Structure formats: C-alpha cells, structure tokens
Amino acid sequence: MRLIWNLIFSTSILLLFLFSSSKLKAQKEYADSLLQQINILRNTNKQNLQSELYVDLLNELAKNYRYQHADSIILLSNEALKISSKIEYKKGIAFALLRKGDYYADTGQEEKAFKIYKESKNLAFSLNFPILKVEVLKSLAFLEFLSQNLSNSITTFYEAIDLASENNLVELEARLRHNLGYCYSSYKLYDEAQIEYLVADSLWVVINAGYPLKAMTLSNIALNAINKGDLELGNQYNEMSINQLNKRNDPLWLSRAFRVKARYYYKKHQYKTAHKWILKSHNTLAKINNPRDQMDLDFVRSNILISLNELGEAKEYSLDVLDKAKEFSDSLLIAKSYDNLEIIEEHLGQIDSAYAYHKKSMQIKNLLKQNDKVQNIVLLRAKMNFLKEKEAFKLESLKKTVSQQKYIQWTTGAFLVTLIFTLLVYRSNRREKRLNKQLYHKTIDLESRENQLRELNTTQKKLFSIVGHDLKGPIVSLKELLNVMSNEDDKEALIQSLLPKLNNYTEHVHFTLENLLNWGKNQMKGENVNPVKIDLHTMVSNTIALY
C-alpha cells in the first residue's frame, strides 16, 4: 500500500512542476473579471440588466464567492432568480436556485437547502441540461452526507458520477470523486477514500487541470494518510499542496492545508509547532466566512492548547466548538468537545464537572459506537446496492438488446425467405410466360402451315380439274381422230383434210399447258391474280372451232 502512495506522490510532484503559472493568474483574477463585466452592463444600457448574459454572470460570480462572501451569494442569486423569472430564462432560474441552496447549506440551514436543491434538480432534469444536473446532484449528495443520510448521499454521488462520465464532464467527475473520498475518509474507510482520491487525481491530469484543483485533492490525500497513521507520506503530500496553494492564494484550501500540517505535528507530539500552523490556518480562514471549517479549526486548536497546558483558552475554544456542533447537529464533534472539556475540568480539579462531561460524552459515544459500525456498513452497502442496481440495469439492457437482435434476426430471416420465395415465384411466372409465348408462336406457325396445306389441297384440286377438263377433251378428240385415220385407206387425202383440225387441237393443248404453267408459277410465288376483260366471243368461237 505504501508503495502505491509513494508512486502517487512522485508522479504528482512531477506533474505539478510541469503546469504553467499563467493559469493561476487567470483563475486568481476570474472573480474580479466577472464583477467588472457585471458593472459594465449595469452602467450602460438598462436593457442589459434583463438579459440572459447578465443572469449568467450573476450566477457565476455567486459560485465564485462561495465560502468567501456569503451575504453576496444570497444577494446575487436572488437578483438572478428575479430577472430569470421575469424573462422566463429557465436555465438561469435553476442555477440561481442552486447558488441559493449553497448559501443555506453553508450557513447550516439544511431544511431550506434541501427544499431549494430539489426544486433546482426538478427544473434541471426537465431541461435535460447535463452540467446543471450534475452540479445539483453534487450539492445534494454532499448535503445528504452532512445530514448523515449516508445511503442517499452515496447513491446520489454515484448517480452524479455516472452522469458526468456519460457526458464527458471530466472536471465535475473529478470534483465528485474528491468529495466522495472525503466522505469515506470521515468514517475511517481510508482504503475506499484512497481509491476515490486516486481517480480524482488521474482525472485532473487528463484535463490538465493545473495547480489549484490538483492541490485540493493532494491536501485531502495527505489528511487521509495522516489519519490512517502514515504520517511521513501524509506530510510529503501536504508540503506539495501547500506550495501550490500559496501560489494561488486560495484562503479556504490553504487554511485546510495548514490545518493538515498542524495535525501532523500534533500526532508527532510537537505541540508548539502544531500551534504555529493552527494559527496560520486561523489567520488564513479569517479572510472568508465558513462556519463549518472554523468549527473544525477551533477543535484542532483546543486539542493543541490542552497539550500545551493552556487550559483556559482551550476551554474557551472547546465550549465554542460545542455550541457550533450542536447548531450543526454534529454528534461526533459534540462528543469530542465533551471529551476535551472533561480533560480540561479534570486538570483544573473540577471533578464533578469533569464527570458530568464524561457521562454526556459516553452517552453519545455509546450511540456513536453502535452507529459508527452501522454507518460504515450503510456506506458500503449503499455503494454495493448502487453497483448492483447498475449491473442489473446493464444486464436488463443487454437482455433487451439480445431480444431486439433476435427479433431483428428472425425478421431478417423471414424477409429473406419471403424474398427468395418471391424470386422463385417471379422466375417461375417469367418462365411460364416465356413458354406460353413460345407456345403461342408455335400455334400461330402451325395454323399458318395448316392454311398453307389447305391452299395446296385447293390448288391441287384446281389443277386436277383443269387437267381433267381443259386437256382431256382435246387429247381424247385427237386420239379418236388418229383411230379414224388408221382405219382409212386413203390416208393422205384424209390427212390433208384433217390437218387443219390437228393443228387447232395442238394449238389449243399448247395454249392450255402454257396457261397452266403460268398459273402454277403464280401460285408458287404467291402472286395475286389481276382480273382483266376478255373477248368472250372470240374465245368461244375458237373453242367451237376445235370440234
């Protein structure tokens, strides 16, 4: 474990050395710059005082005045709230409520703070503005811790951390880890605190945060180490944080770092040196108004004064701490104050008074002793419950994703099957159409051939009719004439008398054959017949002349 702390220490020194000092100057002058811009708007056009820019500047200045000018915070946030409501600027209203809640939380008015924080939270989540949502959750979580609602505090912290991580709000996540580490450390869960501080420190490196922010975390790492008993390592971190905070001149965190140094020397039994550092812490904290830090400082101071045997002054501070602890309902600090008063009264010889303080302390301690273990369990259980719920949510989301993927796969499969079936049907229909088309053409072709055959049959019949009628008659007549001639004695005389008729028969047969051949050619070529007028009288006369 010590090796890890040494590694963190050496790494942090190197990183802090490398950061530039220009950022420090800019951060130091930031509040003054905001105030200057506000005054410019106030001194120019009055319409500027009804703008979103003016509201944003008021809220930002109120944020930077925290722990320094409490009265200014309430004045600025009230003005921002009034203007935002008038111009219906919801984001301005939410931030103004947040700053107002900070004021009530810092001044111990927890009920008012809770009410206003929750109002700001509802508005922030309705606007779905991540930075505002995380800011409100951070403030609510820490207020829950101060009110000892530990389960709610841890759950809210982790909800805010997840939201910051999802939206890449690295600086806010680092602040949340830093605060969560302090919560764990306050209940002596030092290892849990160490983890959160380490994460916060690494996040500061990621965003190149510079001295001030890293120095805050380093100061808390130092306090955690000292409380755990690792004094030297805690002192090394404390030295580093003081060096960097001196450059920034941050009263709150510089006072806290001086207080850590006082605790270190107190545990080393170097009480005069511890008192010197607690005085430095007191003088630094006097520059701002932070009652809770003042209460813690006075308690450490009373412990040191008791060890220095400055009993009168120690009693004065112890009584003051007791009153403030009762005001803030801090049971642990009440019990510790009773312990200090018991020691003081015992040293002063006031046995009855010492015993009375002892009884009061024991009553609270017995309750705290039972509660201390319970609170530790509550903290860890809250963390585990949150992580379980987170894992359950992830598992449920995974199941939904798997279910959706299966649905998509089934849907895709059904679509593909339908598509394939459609393609097969389409191909089948296309093939059927092609075959039907081929069948149609073949049918047309067969019908055409059938018509051709019919025409050929008709032509054949016509041909036989012509041959039987036009050729048969002349040839039969010629045959009979030849038979007569063969039976006659005077053939020459007969031939001479019949020669004209033979010539006519021959001409007629020749004419008929010529017409038949021409008609056949026309039929084969598919030529059309063009009817013409003929001399029927000549044709009939020629035919009669054959006989």
Side-chain angles (χ1 to χ4, degrees):
M1 188 65 70
R2 184 177 178 83
L3 180 62
I4 295 174
W5 282 106
N6 285 329
L7 180 61
I8 302 165
F9 174 70
S10 58
T11 305
S12 299
I13 289 177
L14 178 62
L15 290 169
L16 284 173
F17 179 76
L18 294 174
F19 287 134
S20 66
S21 60
S22 60
K23 291 184 178 179
L24 297 175
K25 187 177 180 180
Q27 290 173 343
K28 194 174 181 180
E29 298 173 351
Y30 185 51
D32 292 338
S33 173
L34 289 170
L35 185 59
Q36 185 180 4
Q37 292 178 65
I38 288 171
N39 288 331
I40 290 172
L41 292 175
R42 284 173 175 170
N43 295 328
T44 53
N45 194 333
K46 289 186 178 180
Q47 291 182 348
N48 292 332
L49 305 184
Q50 304 295 319
S51 66
E52 293 181 0
L53 173 62
Y54 183 65
V55 170
D56 290 340
L57 288 170
L58 291 173
N59 284 326
E60 187 65 17
L61 185 60
K63 179 182 177 181
N64 278 268
Y65 274 172
R66 191 173 186 185
Y67 307 127
Q68 299 179 43
H69 309 288
D71 293 338
S72 297
I73 293 173
I74 194 66
L75 290 172
L76 290 167
S77 58
N78 279 335
E79 185 181 358
L81 185 60
K82 182 179 178 181
I83 297 170
S84 297
S85 300
K86 186 176 181 180
I87 64 176
E88 296 183 350
Y89 181 33
K90 291 185 178 181
K91 190 175 83 170
I93 294 172
F95 271 114
L97 289 170
L98 178 59
R99 302 283 83 89
K100 197 171 181 179
D102 291 342
Y103 167 78
Y104 287 125
D106 295 342
T107 54
Q109 302 179 63
E110 293 177 0
E111 287 187 9
K112 286 185 178 180
F114 269 122
K115 182 180 177 181
I116 292 176
Y117 277 152
K118 287 176 181 178
E119 190 177 347
S120 178
K121 177 186 174 183
N122 292 336
L123 187 54
F125 276 76
S126 69
L127 294 172
N128 196 25
F129 189 51
I131 293 177
L132 180 56
K133 289 195 285 186
V134 175
E135 286 272 15
V136 174
L137 289 174
K138 179 169 74 72
S139 297
L140 261 175
F142 202 71
L143 185 59
E144 293 278 12
F145 167 75
L146 294 175
S147 302
Q148 296 185 337
N149 301 323
L150 301 183
S151 181
N152 290 343
S153 175
I154 297 300
T155 302
T156 307
F157 265 123
Y158 280 113
E159 183 184 352
I161 287 169
D162 276 359
L163 192 59
S165 179
E166 288 170 7
N167 292 278
N168 199 30
L169 303 174
V170 182
E171 181 178 337
L172 278 173
E173 184 182 353
R175 290 181 183 275
L176 286 161
R177 298 281 186 180
H178 174 97
N179 289 348
L180 185 56
Y182 174 77
C183 295
Y184 283 132
S185 182
S186 299
Y187 282 91
K188 301 179 182 179
L189 296 171
Y190 302 121
D191 291 337
E192 296 289 333
Q194 176 190 351
I195 292 169
E196 298 303 331
Y197 286 140
L198 288 176
V199 175
D201 189 57
S202 64
L203 290 172
W204 294 134
V205 174
V206 169
I207 60 172
N208 196 21
Y211 302 121
L213 298 174
K214 279 186 65 67
M216 296 174 191
T217 300
L218 293 174
S219 179
N220 276 16
I221 291 174
L223 178 60
N224 193 62
I226 289 171
N227 287 336
K228 194 177 180 181
D230 200 339
L231 300 181
E232 297 310 317
L233 186 63
N235 187 47
Q236 288 176 342
Y237 275 102
N238 182 240
E239 283 289 337
M240 186 166 55
S241 65
I242 288 173
N243 289 337
Q244 303 311 320
L245 288 167
N246 269 325
K247 294 177 183 178
R248 185 173 184 254
N249 192 25
D250 183 330
L252 176 62
W253 278 98
L254 193 55
S255 171
R256 289 175 178 175
F258 290 157
R259 215 174 312 151
V260 172
K261 181 66 77 175
R263 290 176 190 272
Y264 165 73
Y265 282 114
Y266 177 77
K267 286 184 179 286
K268 296 275 288 185
H269 306 295
Q270 299 178 28
Y271 302 122
K272 288 185 178 180
T273 308
H275 190 255
K276 182 186 76 172
W277 282 102
I278 204 67
L279 285 176
K280 289 186 72 172
S281 178
H282 173 78
N283 293 333
T284 306
L285 191 63
K287 298 176 184 179
I288 61 174
N289 179 25
N290 192 319
R292 289 185 184 275
D293 269 63
Q294 187 65 51
M295 182 172 61
D296 181 67
L297 187 151
D298 289 343
F299 173 73
V300 176
R301 189 172 188 177
S302 67
N303 286 337
I304 295 170
L305 288 169
I306 290 172
S307 298
L308 290 171
N309 206 30
E310 300 286 344
L311 301 179
E313 194 175 358
K315 184 176 180 179
E316 182 182 339
Y317 280 108
S318 295
L319 288 171
D320 191 39
V321 171
L322 179 61
D323 290 339
K324 289 178 181 176
K326 288 178 179 179
E327 182 182 343
F328 283 99
S329 302
D330 192 332
S331 301
L332 181 61
L333 202 53
I334 291 172
K336 288 181 178 180
S337 298
Y338 283 142
D339 285 341
N340 281 356
L341 288 167
E342 179 192 350
I343 294 170
I344 292 168
E345 292 298 311
E346 189 176 345
H347 278 73
L348 292 172
Q350 304 293 327
I351 305 301
D352 292 340
S353 178
Y355 181 68
Y357 283 128
H358 174 75
K359 282 177 67 177
K360 290 179 180 179
S361 175
M362 290 305 296
Q363 287 175 355
I364 297 173
K365 278 184 177 180
N366 287 334
L367 184 61
L368 287 175
K369 191 173 182 180
Q370 296 172 1
N371 283 344
D372 199 31
K373 293 181 180 179
V374 172
Q375 300 290 33
N376 289 350
I377 293 170
V378 167
L379 283 168
L380 295 174
R381 184 176 292 170
K383 178 181 179 181
M384 293 305 298
N385 286 340
F386 181 84
L387 295 175
K388 282 181 181 178
E389 288 177 5
K390 187 177 178 180
E391 290 301 318
F393 178 76
K394 285 182 179 179
L395 183 61
E396 188 63 28
S397 298
L398 182 61
K399 286 180 179 178
K400 287 182 180 179
T401 303
V402 171
S403 178
Q404 288 175 353
Q405 288 177 347
K406 285 183 178 179
Y407 175 77
I408 292 170
Q409 288 173 355
W410 279 105
T411 305
T412 305
F415 173 75
L416 290 173
V417 169
T418 305
L419 181 62
I420 293 169
F421 179 76
T422 304
L423 289 173
L424 290 174
V425 171
Y426 172 75
R427 286 186 62 188
S428 177
N429 289 338
R430 190 174 178 184
R431 183 181 178 189
E432 186 178 352
K433 286 181 180 179
R434 187 173 66 252
L435 292 174
N436 286 337
K437 189 174 181 180
Q438 291 176 356
L439 182 61
Y440 172 76
H441 286 301
K442 287 183 178 180
T443 302
I444 295 297
D445 186 52
L446 288 173
E447 288 177 353
S448 175
R449 290 186 181 185
E450 185 180 359
N451 290 333
Q452 289 177 2
L453 286 173
R454 286 197 186 99
E455 290 177 0
L456 286 174
N457 287 334
T458 303
T459 303
Q460 186 179 19
K461 289 178 181 178
K462 288 181 180 180
L463 183 59
F464 280 115
S465 176
I466 292 169
V467 171
H469 182 269
D470 292 346
L471 291 179
K472 185 178 178 182
I475 291 173
V476 169
S477 297
L478 182 59
K479 182 180 176 184
E480 289 179 353
L481 185 60
L482 289 173
N483 286 334
V484 170
M485 288 177 64
S486 63
N487 294 324
E488 288 291 334
D489 294 331
D490 191 3
K491 292 182 180 179
E492 289 185 11
L494 184 59
I495 290 171
Q496 287 296 325
S497 62
L498 293 175
L499 189 59
K501 285 187 178 183
L502 288 172
N503 187 45
N504 286 337
Y505 287 148
T506 305
E507 287 292 333
H508 181 74
V509 171
H510 178 269
F511 176 75
T512 300
L513 286 173
E514 192 68 31
N515 284 339
L516 184 60
L517 288 172
N518 288 331
W519 177 79
K521 287 180 182 180
N522 291 338
Q523 291 298 315
M524 290 176 67
K525 292 179 181 180
E527 294 180 2
N528 294 325
V529 177
N530 297 317
V532 294
K533 291 182 178 181
I534 58 172
D535 187 357
L536 188 58
H537 179 268
T538 302
M539 185 178 293
V540 171
S541 297
N542 289 335
T543 303
I544 293 171
L546 291 173
Y547 303 98

